Amino acid sequence: MANESEMKLYLLPEDCMVQILSFTSPHDACQLSLISTMVRDAAVSDLLWEKFLPSDYREIIERLVLPIVFASKKELFLKFFSPLLIDGGSKSFSIDRATSKKCYMLSARELSITWSTNPLYWCWKPLLHSSRFPEGVELIMVCWLEIKGKINTRMLSPRTTYGAYLIVNLAGRAFGLDSLPSEVSVNVDNHESKGIVYLRRNYANNRKQELEMVLMRHRVETLRSRVDRGGQERSLCERADGWLEVELGEFYCDGVNHKEVTMCLKEVKGEHLKGGLIVEGVELRPK
């Protein structure tokens, strides 16, 4: 019986085997290639990996800042695992290793940051090698902090829930950022996902924060009552690349109706001075 099943497998044309493998994942296709030579041939074919690649992969290649060389569609797919700069370096594109879905990151230059063109309030500067972008922006001092980003769902993978994450760092001189929680939100059509976040590292004993609370307790408590506390409280999380991230919210991309996604972090109710926030960009990735 085993030999009969094996014979039937060998009788399948390669394009039929490709069609079967296309219903699996890239990881599963690689594992199944160990079954036989015939399955291996189908598992490495351009016909199969064309199905795994994003439908607009040719357009993405044309938007790359630096050209990439690949000998097969599988090799191209694997190269997409690493973030690649597109659109003149204002965005990066990659494929998520776990889900094979599209990921994008909007650089600070691609965001709308209140007063970021005024050198008295914000300073554009080169970023270290840990960033995928050549420059970012550091907050010198403002009383009105508002950062917005936009993207159209047509750029994203269909039938996927995405999270939007603000990628930042805190300079050693950072001040006033955690006196009040910042409000974060993601808006798509009539759907809104929102929450609050204190822009601070999660140290167990933050002496600076304790001292600030003693000196400003009454004022801070009064101001905090103005903040919209709808949604959950979030925190800055440290990333493997040394940056910090906070989830702004999530949304579902159905792939049918193209809609504009608006992502935002703001602290505009305290009217107190704050500075030392370094912004790299906003990342969108599947949840």
Side-chain angles (χ1 to χ4, degrees):
M1 193 69 177
N3 289 336
E4 183 180 348
S5 299
E6 187 175 348
M7 285 297 295
K8 289 181 180 179
L9 186 64
Y10 274 100
L11 288 173
L12 285 175
E14 183 176 309
D15 58 343
C16 289
M17 181 54 64
V18 165
Q19 188 65 24
I20 293 170
L21 293 176
S22 69
F23 289 105
T24 68
S25 67
H27 177 267
D28 290 338
C30 291
Q31 294 289 342
L32 291 169
S33 68
L34 303 175
I35 292 177
S36 69
T37 302
M38 189 271 291
V39 177
R40 184 176 67 245
D41 290 344
V44 298
S45 72
D46 278 354
L47 189 60
L48 174 65
W49 288 91
E50 177 103 17
K51 295 178 181 294
F52 289 146
L53 283 165
S55 59
D56 59 346
Y57 77 90
R58 291 184 179 87
E59 177 190 338
I60 292 169
I61 291 175
E62 292 177 356
R63 295 162 61 191
L64 291 175
V65 171
L66 297 174
I68 55 176
V69 179
F70 54 94
S72 67
K73 296 293 173 59
K74 180 181 179 180
E75 185 179 350
L76 173 61
F77 183 91
L78 296 177
K79 288 199 172 186
F80 278 161
F81 279 158
S82 299
L84 301 169
L85 291 178
I86 61 172
D87 296 348
S90 64
K91 304 183 190 75
S92 75
F93 167 82
S94 63
I95 288 178
D96 181 65
R97 289 178 179 269
T99 64
S100 301
K101 304 286 189 176
K102 293 193 286 184
C103 304
Y104 283 94
M105 185 165 174
L106 313 180
S107 71
R109 284 288 186 190
E110 192 73 7
L111 304 177
S112 173
I113 303 175
T114 303
W115 295 326
S116 63
T117 57
N118 191 324
L120 293 176
Y121 302 130
W122 291 86
C123 173
W124 290 92
K125 57 198 296 185
L127 295 177
L128 299 176
H129 64 276
S130 61
S131 173
R132 65 190 70 179
F133 301 111
E135 66 172 351
V137 65
E138 180 174 339
L139 174 59
I140 298 174
M141 187 167 60
V142 294
C143 60
W144 184 289
L145 175 62
E146 188 167 17
I147 302 169
K148 288 185 177 181
K150 293 183 179 181
I151 194 169
N152 195 288
T153 56
R154 68 177 179 80
M155 295 176 60
L156 305 172
S157 295
R159 300 179 297 281
T160 304
T161 298
Y162 274 89
Y165 304 84
L166 179 67
I167 313 301
V168 299
N169 229 324
L170 300 176
R173 65 175 190 87
F175 63 94
L177 294 169
D178 60 349
S179 298
L180 287 181
S182 295
E183 298 172 34
V184 295
S185 63
V186 169
N187 287 275
V188 187
D189 202 13
N190 294 321
H191 168 77
E192 181 180 39
S193 171
K194 60 183 181 179
I196 60 170
V197 59
Y198 286 92
L199 294 175
R200 60 174 175 241
R201 293 183 184 273
N202 296 313
Y203 296 132
N205 297 305
N206 193 327
R207 181 61 181 166
K208 180 181 176 183
Q209 180 192 349
E210 292 173 2
L211 181 60
E212 189 176 78
M213 283 297 295
V214 170
L215 297 176
M216 300 178 61
R217 183 178 300 277
H218 177 70
R219 171 173 165 76
V220 167
E221 289 304 319
T222 300
L223 291 173
R224 285 181 180 175
S225 65
R226 303 181 191 172
V227 177
D228 181 359
R229 293 181 174 271
Q232 66 180 125
E233 182 172 331
R234 296 164 183 154
S235 59
L236 286 177
C237 301
E238 190 159 358
R239 294 159 53 101
D241 58 12
W243 287 84
L244 304 169
E245 72 174 29
V246 58
E247 183 180 337
L248 302 177
E250 66 177 40
F251 62 96
Y252 181 72
C253 176
D254 59 18
V256 178
N257 302 302
H258 299 321
K259 302 173 182 177
E260 188 172 68
V261 183
T262 302
M263 305 151 284
C264 181
L265 176 142
K266 63 180 179 180
E267 197 295 283
V268 299
K269 297 177 179 177
E271 301 175 354
H272 63 287
L273 295 176
K274 38 200 165 274
L277 181 69
I278 303 169
V279 181
E280 184 188 24
V282 169
E283 185 175 56
L284 296 109
R285 61 177 189 259
K287 297 195 71 174

